[in-house]
Amino acid sequence: MGHAGAPAYDGRMATSTIQALLEYEAKTPAHFCLHLHAARCGAQTVLAEEFRITPEARWREFEDHASANRYVRVDVPPGRFVVTYSADVRLDTEPVAEMPEEAPLADLPDEVFRFLLPSRYCEADAIGEVAQRLFCDDRPGLARVQAIVRWIHRNIRYRPGSSTITTSALDVLESREGVCRDFAHLAIAFCRALNIPARFVAGYVWFDDPPQDFHAVFEAWLGDRWVMFDPTGMAPPQRLVRIGSGMDATDVAFATYFGEAELLRKEVIVLEHQARPQPQRPEHAAAQVL
């Protein structure tokens, strides 16, 4: 958002249909924790959903009430199995209508404070000098986070296959390339280095290119709320169907497993039942997601 009063989306209600499929081959007995369910929170309402594992296996769902993240745990025997998740989700988000400032540290809610700390993929403590040099002259608040998003979009190349599950914000800063999770990690590290709480958000969203997949963005705590940004500029953040949030990608991986297994197929489909807003330049792409 370059100027207040010029939102990327008008805040009207919309519904998205989500379909996700994962096919694995377990080489040994394995325990899986799957994170595919749309969160039930804020401006997001899950209207209907279905989760299946084929061949059938006993599974259980649990929710982390602090984050609203929903998980499924299941034991699988050796062999191939398929996980499917589908849902209809209604979004009713409002654009950011003001220019929120950075909250004084003493005023941060206790549950927000931890998002100032370094984490495995967001080494805010090691990136502080660079963050100060690049962004110390920007106006505190929304304008500073927009400057971070703008810099990443202009200086980091989006290149599928350029990073691995171990790539961190420092790695991305050095290589100057990555994918959506890398863009989000770098933005989070910059924000935390500047005493702005920030968290990683994973979800489903429709976009033209690259092909459909899970998508990663980030949120910064500004004023008294979380505000969402997409430094890739690939999709309006207001349209993201949230799966979950956390310190970094570790907290919201779509699958974590113990044992030996291989991912054979991954398919994601997102259908929007309303005319899609056009993707905005990253500095314009900010939305409230409460």
Side-chain angles (χ1 to χ4, degrees):
M1 178 181 297
H3 305 281
Y9 182 65
D10 63 9
R12 292 178 297 172
M13 192 180 302
T15 301
S16 292
T17 295
I18 309 302
Q19 298 175 9
L21 180 150
L22 302 174
E23 181 178 2
Y24 282 91
E25 181 172 0
K27 310 293 186 180
T28 64
H31 183 77
F32 272 73
C33 181
L34 300 161
H35 189 31
L36 302 174
H37 286 63
R40 297 190 184 106
C41 62
Q44 179 169 297
T45 303
V46 179
L47 302 175
E49 63 181 359
E50 183 178 41
F51 178 85
R52 289 185 178 181
I53 298 177
T54 307
E56 290 189 8
R58 297 188 63 178
W59 53 272
R60 68 179 181 89
E61 178 185 345
F62 73 97
E63 180 175 345
D64 176 62
H65 296 291
S67 63
N69 296 357
R70 302 166 63 200
Y71 304 90
V72 166
R73 290 177 57 183
V74 60
D75 284 313
V76 297
R80 292 194 178 192
F81 69 97
V82 175
V83 177
T84 58
Y85 174 73
S86 61
D88 292 322
V89 182
R90 187 178 68 218
L91 298 174
D92 188 13
T93 58
E94 294 292 335
V96 176
E98 73 281 349
M99 296 289 283
E101 298 295 326
E102 296 170 17
L105 295 182
D107 293 343
L108 292 176
D110 294 338
E111 64 272 16
V112 172
F113 186 81
R114 71 187 185 98
F115 293 103
L116 287 170
L117 304 177
S119 62
R120 176 181 176 182
Y121 294 113
C122 305
E123 308 101 324
D125 49 348
I127 214 168
E129 183 178 342
V130 176
Q132 288 290 338
R133 184 173 70 249
L134 291 174
F135 309 114
C136 66
D137 293 333
D138 291 292
R139 178 182 173 183
L142 181 63
R144 178 169 286 166
V145 180
Q146 288 172 338
I148 291 171
V149 170
R150 188 165 51 247
W151 187 92
I152 292 173
H153 186 72
R154 292 175 178 174
N155 291 276
I156 306 299
R157 177 189 177 196
Y158 188 94
R159 190 166 76 86
S162 60
S163 61
T164 71
I165 60 172
T166 64
T167 300
S168 71
L170 278 176
D171 296 327
V172 177
L173 187 61
E174 180 178 354
S175 68
R176 299 298 176 97
E177 59 185 11
V179 295
C180 59
R181 76 191 291 269
D182 305 309
F183 281 50
H185 283 153
L186 182 55
I188 291 166
F190 277 146
C191 285
R192 292 178 185 170
L194 297 166
N195 292 335
I196 303 171
R199 66 184 183 183
F200 189 95
V201 179
Y204 303 101
V205 72
W206 191 99
F207 43 75
D208 289 305
D209 184 45
Q212 300 284 71
D213 203 344
F214 300 102
H215 193 46
V217 297
F218 79 100
E219 290 177 318
W221 183 265
L222 297 172
D224 60 356
R225 69 201 66 188
W226 288 108
V227 181
M228 185 179 290
F229 302 83
D230 182 359
T232 71
M234 287 166 32
Q238 297 90 339
R239 306 288 11 105
L240 184 101
V241 175
R242 178 191 300 262
I243 298 174
S245 60
M247 289 289 287
D248 54 34
T250 304
D251 292 335
V252 292
F254 62 80
T256 302
Y257 56 88
F258 302 85
E260 187 179 351
E262 179 184 0
L263 178 62
L264 303 177
R265 181 164 51 126
K266 177 179 62 172
E267 297 178 1
V268 176
I269 298 173
V270 181
L271 304 173
E272 290 186 337
H273 308 303
Q274 178 175 297
R276 291 186 299 273
Q278 293 300 310
Q280 304 290 309
R281 294 194 304 274
E283 61 267 33
H284 291 172
Q288 290 181 16
V289 180
L290 306 179

